[in-house]
Amino acid sequence: MNPSRIFILRPIATSLLMVALLLAGLFAYRLLPVSALPQVDYPIIRVSTFFPGASPEVMTSLITAPLERQFGQMPGLNQMTSSSANGASLITLQFNLDMPLDIAEQEVQAAINAASGFLPSDLPNPPVYNKVNPADAPIMTLALTSKTLPLPQVQDFAETRFAQRISQIKGVGFVNISGGQRKAVRIQVNPTKLAALGLTLEDLRATIDSANSNQAKGSFDGKSIAYTINANDQLLKSEDYRQIIVAFRNDAPVRLQDVANVIDGAENVNQAAWYNQTQAIILNIQRQPGANVIEVVDSIKTLLPKLESTLPNDVNVTIVADRTNTIRASVKEAQIEMMIAIALVVVIIFLFLRNASAIFIPSIAVPLSLIGTFGMMYLLDFSLNNLTIMALTIATGFVVDDAIVMIENISRHIEMGEKPLDAALKGAKQIGFTIMSLTVSLIAVMIPLLFMQDVVGRLFREFAITLSVTVIISAMVSLTLTPMLCARLLSHNETAKQPILGFYRRSLTWVLNHQGLMLGVFILTLLVMTLFIYTIPKGFFPLQDTGVIQGISEAPASISFVEMKKRQVDLSDIIMADPAVENITSFVGIDSTNMTQNTGLIQILLKPTAKRQENINTVIQRIQQQVQKVMGITLFMQPLQDITIDDRVSRTQYQYSITAPNLNDVEHWTNEFYQSMQHLPSLRDIASDLSDKGQQTYIKFDRDTASRLGLSAQTIDNILYDAFGQRQISTMYTQFNQYYVILEVLPELQQQQKALNTLYINTASGLPVPLRAFTEISEQLGPLVIHRQNQFPSATLSFNLAAGYALGDALTAIENIREQLPIPLQVQTQPEGSAKTFQNALANEGWLVLSAIIVVYIVLGVLYESYIHPLTILSTLPSAGLGALIALRLFNQELTVIALIGIILLIGIVMKNAIMMIDFALELERKAQKQAEAAIYEACLLRFRPILMTTLAAMLGALPLAFGQGMGHELRQPLGIAIIGGLILSQLLTLFTTPVIYLAFDRLQQTWQNRQFKTEMA
């Protein structure tokens, strides 16, 4: 049977089919979205609740716990973490990968509704959820500045004209406004004056609240005219509030301005943001999990000119950071590497065949196979990303292999004197089964990748399917178009002398006379490879240089906002002085992205790599040395990565959690772990999010005395909240937004504990008594933030890797600490985020490779109807694996997931060489009745040229990946290095070990058959 015959004899039909494939691929290419990586994010929803003035303990018990109890009942919830800080509660809900985000959203909304009855009645705003991963970096950052307008007015523009419109764009998960300058009327009370009038803060709050109203008032509907009733019930300006009469004394009105300063200010004065060294309003735009970054950013950029046109001329909008710049550059670089790979493999064909027609045929076949893949990628809803383009680049070597095998076999028949058409028919028939075997075996290698679990499996599914589709299309082209073109374009040429073939002939003869030695080499290769597997450093994903650094600054727990603000500015000044830095944004204060006052956020955008000539790690180390000059604050930095698996913000790259039912256990063992980890040479920049050293003012009131005076705990809490909680006591409604009236004491009274001496509370008889009359005031330590995981108290230790160490080394060292410490059973410790995913992937790596080998063995056994020949083919794997591991060590690369994929691909590549040898040898044994040694000897010599060509083609196809230096090369490099290293050693050894093992198994088979024959005869 010759599947190629009809296509060879019908060139017009064949060419038109290929044109159709080409046009479909080109059309699909224009429609394919572009992204950094396949969209495989966990469905994550963040729920944030704000209650100004509430302590972390109050937020945990009053807000976080009731919500967590409801969220914990949701089906499909994978993990729940929460952080409760001063005035803020943040709950992150991570669902199973197979949970649709929209379904998860419905579950979250239902849970919030169910919990609403347990939340405090005076909560200013209900919990708000966003479909966003808190650990995911913004896809775009905008800065709004003005030299003339006050920042509260600038924020008003940002909130009403920018944030709302941008949030409506498909794929936008959250627009976070940093800067804390939302407009408000602030009422700063002098409690001494108030007490002199016999009034308390509670009296003032009730008066102001009742003075400002905005409610329905009805209408008149006469016989012919209708009227709507309106009134001046709402107060919208600070001047209006100053005139409020709070009491009458001596028949004279006491107005609010007599006992308080009433000013136009910001809703939260304890927040600030900067763009470079200018205070600004910063908009950080985050995408929804699974949304395409480039599509979302393009939509935002299309909308921006319209939004800017609505602003006053003196408000400047700057795009500070745009993640798509590096993504586009990375994808473009990957496409360039793919084109280089195509050119290199075509050159290899010319060097071996020395025939212009032989160059033309693969020059058509290879791009056609790659372009045809785009059509299937579009139908499968894939994108053009680093992994799919990497698959196409690697596929260049596979695709050209099929073309080479077909062209070389037909060329050999033409060189033997046959006519091109006859040579094409005979050569295609002879090699057709081999090509199908190569295709099926290579697809079999991809099958285990399709069943990889967790995010890693989802991530590489597009890679495996894209590569498999390309190989299938390549086989179709090689069995149809390639032989048809060979029949019409190839002609007889004198066979060029091949000195290397003579050398191989002599070497092979010597090897076949010393088969025992080569079997020893094979066994030694297997043992050394096993040793390398256990000793090579193991990592997760290569560290990318995306040109963006995420920084978290941390000062002592008791630092004030004013001092924190000053030190943050000092850090920013030093960072901006670095020659590699393009710009920065900085933020301090408590909001949904930063939970404590003693920490701040810094995003550093570096200049393009061509301008800075330094990798991102070098820049981080230099900045780290410089910022140490700022006393009393530490800056933790990590490079932003395209792959985000974490669901919580940490100071450094990798995370390790400690969880227990009791908070004291968490604090104790977290500190023990922290101290032990400080001595590990594999770790640096170790940080803990356990903030348990915050200063607290503890007010203990005499309950008996308070009861005698007619004072309740609620009354005391209300007075303290009114004075020091930035309490939102009334709301001003406008057509565009809502603004709050904030009640507090004078700013100078909010700085020290002695301000408590100025507070008075009216007794049941109406007489004011000082708060100090029935209270004792002391200082104690308490948490700045309380973290919980799955409703239990937790803490997270984070760390970076020291130079020369891999993630596997670090986790092994931490687990050794875990075994050495006498940790009770109720305390649970485990890696989190990317470290946890790495640990799971590492546990499955051996099974993944083993399953690939088993699947390939089964497929080959079915194809050859043999138990033995698949083993001969698989004997090529140890040398390929060893070569890959040696190459990784030589180039100082870890055995990452990317490198592991390269090793799995090697299984398919090196098998092709053995298949070509054994396939031909079996044919000689069956048809020419040759002995096994003569058959394999002739097969090795005849297939030497195509084996050498395909190996070099695969190596050159991987060469741009291994040595490219463009954007995103760190992600692609391990794959190229592993393939090249594996092919070099495999080529050197398997050309000799494969025939020896083939003969060894043949002798074993003959011995078994002889024994069977003797048994039957007996």
Side-chain angles (χ1 to χ4, degrees):
M1 179 181 176
N2 185 359
S4 302
R5 181 180 181 85
I6 188 173
F7 298 99
I8 296 172
L9 298 177
R10 300 188 63 184
I12 295 177
T14 303
S15 59
L16 289 177
L17 286 174
M18 295 303 111
V19 168
L21 178 65
L22 177 68
L23 293 176
L26 290 174
F27 182 75
Y29 176 79
R30 299 180 59 200
L31 302 176
L32 285 174
V34 178
S35 63
L37 293 165
Q39 307 302 329
V40 292
D41 308 279
Y42 278 108
I44 294 178
I45 293 179
R46 180 184 65 184
V47 181
S48 53
T49 313
F50 295 97
F51 196 3
S55 67
E57 294 92 341
V58 171
M59 290 299 300
T60 301
S61 58
L62 210 59
I63 305 293
T64 305
L67 287 170
E68 284 183 334
R69 283 195 295 272
Q70 299 301 321
F71 292 145
Q73 302 174 34
M74 295 186 302
L77 183 65
N78 185 42
Q79 182 172 271
M80 175 170 56
T81 58
S82 67
S83 300
S84 303
N86 284 305
S89 167
L90 179 67
I91 302 175
T92 302
L93 306 167
Q94 183 191 88
F95 293 86
N96 296 329
L97 273 171
D98 55 356
M99 170 72 80
L101 188 58
D102 292 338
I103 301 299
E105 178 186 13
Q106 296 173 15
E107 297 285 347
V108 170
Q109 183 62 69
I112 292 175
N113 294 338
S116 60
F118 301 99
L119 300 179
S121 58
D122 59 342
L123 187 67
N125 291 296
V128 176
Y129 69 86
N130 301 102
K131 295 181 283 188
V132 65
N133 183 355
D136 203 2
I139 59 174
M140 177 179 277
T141 300
L142 304 176
L144 274 68
T145 57
S146 177
K147 295 181 179 180
T148 58
L149 296 178
L151 281 179
Q153 192 169 346
V154 176
Q155 168 140 347
D156 197 45
F157 290 136
E159 193 171 6
T160 58
R161 305 187 188 185
F162 271 68
Q164 291 183 15
R165 292 290 303 278
I166 293 174
S167 297
Q168 296 168 8
I169 294 175
K170 181 181 178 181
V172 172
F174 182 53
V175 180
N176 182 57
I177 303 177
S178 299
Q181 300 297 322
R182 192 180 189 193
K183 290 196 302 184
V185 171
R186 300 189 70 90
I187 300 175
Q188 301 170 342
V189 181
N190 186 327
T192 305
K193 289 183 179 181
L194 201 63
L197 296 170
L199 299 173
T200 66
L201 287 167
E202 274 295 278
D203 298 329
L204 203 62
R205 179 170 72 90
T207 300
I208 296 171
D209 185 42
S210 61
N212 178 45
S213 178
N214 185 34
Q215 296 183 358
K217 291 170 278 292
S219 61
F220 297 112
D221 192 7
K223 293 183 178 180
S224 58
I225 301 177
Y227 298 90
T228 300
I229 301 175
N230 212 334
N232 63 339
D233 53 348
Q234 186 169 207
L235 305 178
L236 298 175
K237 300 178 182 178
S238 59
E239 179 58 35
D240 297 333
Y241 284 92
R242 292 190 189 103
Q243 304 305 317
I244 294 177
I245 297 175
V246 297
F248 282 89
R249 294 294 183 266
N250 301 322
D251 295 328
V254 178
R255 300 187 183 274
L256 184 58
Q257 63 185 1
D258 297 328
V259 294
N261 297 330
V262 184
I263 62 172
D264 291 316
E267 180 181 311
N268 189 343
V269 295
N270 292 332
Q271 290 184 357
W274 296 267
Y275 165 51
N276 293 338
Q277 287 137 324
T278 303
Q279 197 161 355
I281 302 300
I282 305 297
L283 273 69
N284 289 312
I285 304 167
Q286 292 180 278
R287 67 181 177 95
Q288 291 182 9
N292 184 281
V293 176
I294 290 181
E295 290 180 355
V296 176
V297 170
D298 285 345
S299 299
I300 295 171
K301 286 184 174 179
T302 302
L303 182 63
L304 271 181
K306 298 178 182 178
L307 300 182
E308 290 184 58
S309 65
T310 65
L311 296 176
N313 293 332
D314 49 359
V315 176
N316 300 315
V317 180
T318 306
I319 298 178
V320 179
D322 178 359
R323 279 186 63 188
T324 64
N325 291 335
T326 55
I327 294 173
R328 294 179 206 271
S330 178
V331 172
K332 182 180 179 181
E333 187 66 28
Q335 290 173 321
I336 292 172
E337 290 177 359
M338 182 175 68
M339 299 305 295
I340 294 173
I342 294 173
L344 289 174
V345 296
V346 171
V347 169
I348 282 295
I349 297 173
F350 175 74
L351 292 177
F352 274 87
L353 298 181
R354 306 295 181 109
N355 189 317
S357 299
I359 295 178
F360 175 76
I361 296 171
S363 299
I364 296 296
V366 173
L368 182 61
S369 301
L370 299 178
I371 292 172
T373 306
F374 294 140
M376 187 57 68
M377 287 174 61
Y378 175 74
L379 294 177
L380 294 171
D381 199 26
F382 289 177
S383 64
L384 278 175
N385 56 67
N386 275 297
L387 289 184
T388 52
I389 295 177
M390 194 189 304
L392 293 171
T393 305
I394 290 299
T396 303
F398 297 160
V399 168
V400 81
D401 282 359
D402 295 336
I404 286 173
V405 171
M406 181 63 74
I407 294 171
E408 193 278 337
N409 201 49
I410 295 174
S411 297
R412 185 171 57 84
H413 283 284
I414 293 175
E415 291 167 0
M416 293 167 59
E418 296 186 27
K419 294 181 179 180
L421 181 59
D422 295 335
L425 291 170
K426 186 175 181 180
K429 180 180 180 180
Q430 189 178 48
I431 210 69
F433 180 76
T434 301
I435 289 179
M436 287 188 285
S437 299
L438 296 175
T439 302
V440 172
S441 61
L442 192 55
I443 294 174
V445 173
M446 296 294 106
I447 291 175
L449 293 181
L450 300 178
F451 292 95
M452 289 176 69
Q453 299 300 312
D454 211 5
V455 172
V456 177
R458 293 286 185 94
L459 197 64
F460 285 99
R461 190 162 298 169
E462 284 194 23
F463 175 90
I465 293 177
T466 299
L467 186 56
S468 299
V469 169
T470 309
V471 170
I472 292 172
I473 294 177
S474 167
M476 291 170 47
V477 172
S478 296
L479 292 173
T480 57
L481 180 66
T482 301
M484 185 273 288
L485 293 176
C486 288
R488 281 147 184 87
L489 298 179
L490 291 186
S491 58
H492 177 71
N493 287 325
E494 291 294 327
T495 306
K497 294 184 178 180
Q498 301 179 44
I500 192 171
L501 180 60
F503 173 77
Y504 177 59
R505 180 184 289 108
R506 294 189 298 271
S507 302
L508 183 61
T509 302
W510 186 89
V511 164
L512 293 179
N513 292 327
H514 301 81
Q515 295 184 31
L517 178 62
M518 292 311 299
L519 287 174
V521 170
F522 171 76
I523 294 172
L524 180 63
T525 301
L526 185 62
L527 294 175
V528 175
M529 183 197 69
T530 305
L531 177 64
F532 263 82
I533 289 175
Y534 281 101
T535 58
I536 190 170
K538 298 173 181 65
F540 191 32
F541 283 98
L543 200 64
Q544 294 176 266
D545 184 351
T546 59
V548 181
I549 300 172
Q550 292 176 299
I552 296 180
S553 58
E554 183 176 16
S558 58
I559 193 170
S560 67
F561 174 74
V562 174
E563 183 60 24
M564 182 65 193
K565 186 175 175 181
K566 177 180 176 299
R567 295 181 189 180
Q568 187 84 347
V569 170
D570 292 341
L571 287 179
S572 299
D573 291 342
I574 290 177
I575 295 170
M576 279 301 300
D578 191 277
V581 174
E582 184 80 26
N583 59 56
I584 66 170
T585 58
S586 176
F587 170 75
V588 290
I590 297 175
D591 72 349
S592 59
T593 59
N594 189 53
M595 296 300 290
T596 59
Q597 186 168 281
N598 71 319
T599 59
L601 304 178
I602 297 180
Q603 179 176 272
I604 307 170
L605 181 68
L606 303 182
K607 295 175 181 176
T609 51
K611 293 183 179 179
R612 53 184 159 98
Q613 301 296 325
E614 297 164 314
N615 65 45
I616 198 166
N617 284 326
T618 303
V619 176
I620 288 176
Q621 292 172 10
R622 185 172 63 233
I623 292 176
Q624 194 73 67
Q625 293 174 355
Q626 294 299 317
V627 297
Q628 290 175 0
K629 298 175 182 177
V630 182
M631 303 300 294
I633 192 167
T634 303
L635 180 63
F636 298 95
M637 290 178 285
Q638 56 179 308
L640 173 67
Q641 301 296 290
D642 286 332
I643 301 174
T644 304
I645 297 176
D646 303 315
D647 63 352
R648 67 189 80 183
V649 178
S650 62
R651 289 154 176 75
T652 40
Q653 190 170 5
Y654 299 107
Q655 304 164 355
Y656 195 86
S657 70
I658 295 94
T659 307
N662 186 281
L663 182 59
N664 292 331
D665 286 339
V666 172
E667 293 175 352
H668 172 74
W669 291 110
T670 299
N671 290 327
E672 289 289 326
F673 257 96
Y674 181 81
Q675 295 299 327
S676 300
M677 289 169 66
Q678 293 286 349
H679 300 98
L680 296 179
S682 56
L683 309 183
R684 65 177 178 85
D685 304 331
I686 303 166
S688 169
D689 67 358
L690 184 65
S691 301
D692 58 346
K693 297 295 189 292
Q695 293 287 340
Q696 287 188 347
T697 297
Y698 187 77
I699 301 173
K700 181 181 179 181
F701 58 88
D702 187 332
R703 288 185 176 269
D704 293 341
T705 303
S707 296
R708 181 169 51 83
L709 296 173
L711 301 176
S712 65
Q714 178 68 52
T715 303
I716 298 170
D717 283 352
N718 280 334
I719 290 293
L720 293 171
Y721 191 15
D722 292 338
F724 307 109
Q726 296 193 78
R727 189 168 190 171
Q728 300 170 1
I729 62 172
S730 188
T731 304
M732 298 175 288
Y733 297 93
T734 70
Q735 295 181 8
F736 298 104
N737 211 341
Q738 296 81 44
Y739 308 98
Y740 293 110
V741 179
I742 309 297
L743 181 63
E744 60 184 348
V745 296
L746 294 170
E748 57 267 25
L749 296 179
Q750 299 182 42
Q751 298 176 7
Q752 295 180 347
Q753 293 178 6
K754 64 182 182 181
L756 293 170
N757 297 331
T758 65
L759 294 185
Y760 288 79
I761 304 178
N762 285 349
T763 64
S765 61
L767 295 175
V769 295
L771 182 66
R772 65 178 182 273
F774 56 92
T775 60
E776 294 179 4
I777 299 171
S778 61
E779 291 186 1
Q780 64 182 28
L781 296 179
L784 292 180
V785 60
I786 296 174
H787 298 287
R788 287 153 63 104
Q789 182 167 310
N790 297 326
Q791 302 185 55
F792 289 105
S794 71
T796 302
L797 296 167
S798 59
F799 57 90
N800 288 328
L801 300 176
Y805 289 91
L807 180 56
D809 302 328
L811 291 181
T812 300
I814 294 173
E815 287 303 313
N816 291 336
I817 292 176
R818 172 74 174 83
E819 294 174 1
Q820 293 169 7
L821 291 175
I823 300 177
L825 292 177
Q826 69 267 22
V827 178
Q828 302 295 318
T829 65
Q830 64 177 9
E832 296 293 344
S834 56
K836 180 180 180 180
T837 306
F838 162 77
Q839 193 174 62
N840 295 337
L842 185 65
N844 295 323
E845 279 183 2
W847 292 108
L848 181 65
V849 175
L850 181 61
S851 60
I853 294 172
I854 292 174
V855 170
V856 169
Y857 174 82
I858 293 172
V859 170
L860 292 175
V862 171
L863 288 173
Y864 287 97
E865 189 59 29
S866 170
Y867 295 114
I868 291 180
H869 296 318
L871 294 176
T872 306
I873 295 171
L874 292 173
S875 68
T876 59
L877 303 186
S879 58
L882 178 59
L885 296 174
I886 291 174
L888 290 171
R889 290 303 300 267
L890 288 176
F891 285 90
N892 199 28
Q893 295 279 342
E894 302 167 358
L895 181 58
T896 60
V897 174
I898 301 291
L900 178 66
I901 300 300
I903 292 175
I904 293 174
L905 290 179
L906 277 171
I907 296 175
I909 299 174
V910 299
M911 277 195 319
K912 299 177 90 170
N913 297 343
I915 287 173
M916 282 191 281
M917 288 184 190
I918 293 170
D919 214 31
F920 209 80
L922 291 174
E923 184 179 0
L924 290 173
E925 285 189 45
R926 286 194 298 265
K927 295 183 178 180
Q929 299 299 312
K930 292 193 174 185
Q931 294 297 316
E933 184 166 341
I936 192 65
Y937 179 79
E938 184 176 346
C940 288
L941 296 178
L942 286 175
R943 309 318 299 162
F944 176 72
R945 184 170 69 170
I947 287 174
L948 196 58
M949 290 170 66
T950 55
T951 301
L952 288 174
M955 285 174 55
L956 291 178
L959 197 65
L961 298 178
F963 298 104
Q965 293 298 315
M967 182 63 69
H969 75 277
E970 303 92 351
L971 192 65
R972 303 183 289 269
Q973 206 168 52
L975 184 72
I977 290 174
I979 289 177
I980 292 174
L983 286 175
I984 290 175
L985 187 60
S986 175
Q987 185 71 42
L988 292 175
L989 292 181
T990 57
L991 284 172
F992 303 104
T993 57
T994 300
V996 169
I997 294 173
Y998 177 84
L999 293 175
F1001 278 125
D1002 182 74
R1003 289 192 295 271
L1004 184 65
Q1005 186 177 26
Q1006 292 297 329
T1007 302
W1008 173 259
Q1009 290 176 350
N1010 291 336
R1011 287 182 180 178
Q1012 289 289 100
F1013 179 74
K1014 290 179 180 179
T1015 302
E1016 292 174 0
M1017 292 298 293

